[in-house]
């Protein structure tokens, strides 16, 4: 636990993530580096901020090892309904507590942020991007048209990129889980599809999955 000051000026107790958590997350940076080097920016679905910090830690270690001189800008992508990291950055405090609103992006919902997320944004020159469920859904549909079925929360990386606009250089949008994690999957009504391509194509067109 850590004591920090919230935006209202009251001293409150804020959680600190597990010490070993970022040690696992940082290997994502190693994989990115192995595949394409150091991107210009990395867009990360963010709740408490441990994944965000872990990826940043990985890239900073690569630089310390002399493998690269560049570092990416890190973008934390949070639902507007729960964006404590954005609140902390706005008020210049290590952590913040917010009231969580309604959102289907439940996997990236946290009422509190961690100081390591603030460190990542400040040190990388990045930004916290707040996203509506409509923006997340648009990004999820875009991924579906590309053949990737993701959970709504997992589309936050791409949604963040789309709200920011063009970014010079290669970018990476982190996707964290498949669409099977959506709570609504087991509630959807199933239909029998005829075993022919015409029926499949028509259903894909109706769902907006096929251009």
């Amino acid at each position: 636990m850590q004591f920090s000051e919230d935006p209202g000026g009251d001293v409150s107790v804020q959680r600190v993530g597990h010490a070993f958590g970022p040690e696992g997350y940082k290997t994502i940076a190693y994989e990115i580096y192995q595949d394409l080097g150091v991107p210009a920016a990395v867009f990360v679905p963010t709740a408490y901020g441990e994944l965000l910090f872990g990826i940043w830690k990985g890239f900073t270690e690569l630089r310390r090892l002399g493998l690269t001189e560049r570092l990416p800008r890190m973008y934390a992508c949070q639902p507007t309904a729960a964006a404590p990291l954005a609140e902390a950055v706005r008020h210049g405090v290590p952590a913040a507590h917010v009231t969580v609103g309604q959102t289907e992006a439940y996997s990236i919902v946290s009422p509190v942020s961690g100081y390591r997320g603030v460190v990542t944004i400040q040190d990388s020159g990045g930004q916290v991007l707040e996203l509506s469920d409509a923006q997340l859904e648009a990004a999820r549909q875009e991924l579906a048209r590309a053949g990737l079925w993701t959970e709504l929360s997992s589309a936050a990386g791409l949604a963040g990129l789309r709200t920011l606009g063009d970014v010079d250089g290669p970018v990476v949008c982190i996707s964290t889980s498949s669409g099977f994690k959506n709570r609504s999957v087991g509630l959807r009504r199933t239909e029998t599809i005829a075993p022919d391509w015409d029926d499949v194509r028509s259903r894909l067109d109706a769902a907006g999955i096929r251009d």
Side-chain angles (χ1 to χ4, degrees):
M1 308 290 282
Q2 172 188 330
F3 285 96
S4 63
E5 191 172 300
D6 68 19
D10 296 328
V11 175
S12 58
V13 179
Q14 302 290 350
R15 292 187 298 121
V16 175
H18 195 285
F20 293 137
E23 297 304 308
Y25 290 137
K26 73 183 184 182
T27 61
I28 296 172
Y30 301 163
E31 292 185 37
I32 294 172
Y33 175 77
Q34 188 175 35
D35 286 342
L36 54 81
V38 179
V42 182
F43 294 79
V44 185
T46 301
Y48 187 63
E50 294 298 279
L51 174 60
L52 178 78
F53 174 74
I55 296 173
W56 174 243
K57 186 176 192 293
F59 280 113
T60 58
E61 289 183 356
L62 288 171
R63 185 176 65 174
R64 286 201 300 271
L65 291 169
L67 297 175
T68 178
E69 296 181 355
R70 299 176 56 240
L71 290 172
R73 294 186 302 280
M74 301 294 295
Y75 290 91
C77 305
Q78 295 193 305
T80 303
L85 180 54
E87 188 75 1
V89 170
R90 268 194 297 269
H91 289 87
V93 294
H97 187 282
V98 298
T99 300
V100 176
Q102 291 294 322
T103 177
E104 291 299 314
Y106 50 84
S107 292
I108 51 174
V109 165
S110 175
V112 296
S113 62
Y115 78 94
R116 295 194 285 205
V118 174
V119 168
T120 299
I121 297 301
Q122 292 177 341
D123 288 356
S124 72
Q127 186 178 344
V128 184
L129 304 172
E130 299 180 61
L131 307 162
S132 67
D133 278 20
Q135 290 171 313
L136 293 170
E137 181 58 35
R140 180 168 66 171
Q141 291 183 14
E142 182 178 347
L143 290 169
R145 289 191 293 271
L148 299 173
W149 184 37
T150 69
E151 182 190 6
L152 187 65
S153 299
S154 280
L158 179 60
L161 172 62
R162 292 294 179 248
T163 61
L164 192 65
D166 293 334
V167 178
D168 292 334
V171 301
V172 172
C173 297
I174 301 296
S175 181
T176 51
S177 59
S178 81
F180 281 110
K181 196 174 178 182
N182 286 318
R183 293 172 180 168
S184 61
V185 169
L187 302 176
R188 292 176 179 171
R189 182 170 59 88
T190 59
E191 297 181 28
T192 301
I193 299 177
D196 61 72
W197 280 113
D198 288 339
D199 192 26
V200 172
R201 289 191 186 97
S202 66
R203 291 174 184 271
L204 291 176
D205 288 338
I209 295 175
R210 229 167 55 95
D211 291 329

